[in-house]
Amino acid sequence: MQISALGSKGGSGAQQPLRIWLVDVAVLAWRCIHYRTSDKAVNLKALLEDGSITKLMFDVRSDSTQLSKEYGVRLRGVYDLQLAEVAHRQLQLIPTAYLLPLTKVCDQGGSA
């Protein structure tokens, strides 16, 4: 699972930088969901369920189902970039009968 997240605004009102994580949930299992950072500030479950933090994912359907069934995670604040890509094609009057995989979107530079 790849997650991109913009942090919430800090005390200065500035948006925190974009952060990107690659998480192999199949290998790490419950450890990646419940493990807390060294300062005990956050774990992945809390991040994924925090609606105030915007997360960008691609084709989140299967990840969402799996996280919910196996770990009780309810995704909030997630924008599915696959659906954004479909909306982009619709605006360009390009047929949208099929959802494109990430590799094809990347190969075509974001336009089908």
Side-chain angles (χ1 to χ4, degrees):
M1 172 176 54
Q2 178 178 340
I3 307 165
S4 302
L6 286 175
S8 56
K9 293 186 179 182
S12 65
Q15 185 78 34
Q16 298 296 314
L18 176 69
R19 296 183 178 165
I20 299 174
W21 295 273
L22 294 174
V23 181
D24 192 339
V25 178
V27 171
L28 298 174
W30 65 269
R31 292 172 291 181
C32 72
I33 301 298
H34 298 289
Y35 176 82
R36 291 201 175 269
T37 57
S38 59
D39 60 0
K40 306 216 185 297
V42 71
N43 62 28
L44 185 57
K45 184 177 192 306
L47 171 77
L48 293 172
E49 292 183 336
D50 188 338
S52 70
I53 301 173
T54 301
K55 280 115 10 221
L56 307 175
M57 300 173 78
F58 191 93
D59 190 12
V60 72
R61 295 170 298 164
S62 60
D63 290 334
S64 176
T65 300
Q66 206 62 19
L67 288 167
S68 177
K69 283 184 179 180
E70 298 214 15
Y71 306 106
V73 174
R74 297 194 62 205
L75 295 177
R76 290 182 180 89
V78 173
Y79 290 91
D80 191 333
L81 295 177
Q82 186 177 44
L83 297 179
E85 188 278 330
V86 169
H88 174 74
R89 280 190 283 148
Q90 288 175 338
L91 286 172
Q92 307 238 338
L93 303 177
I94 299 171
T96 57
Y98 300 99
L99 295 174
L100 298 176
L102 181 59
T103 53
K104 185 154 185 157
V105 172
C106 291
D107 285 348
Q108 297 178 359
S111 59

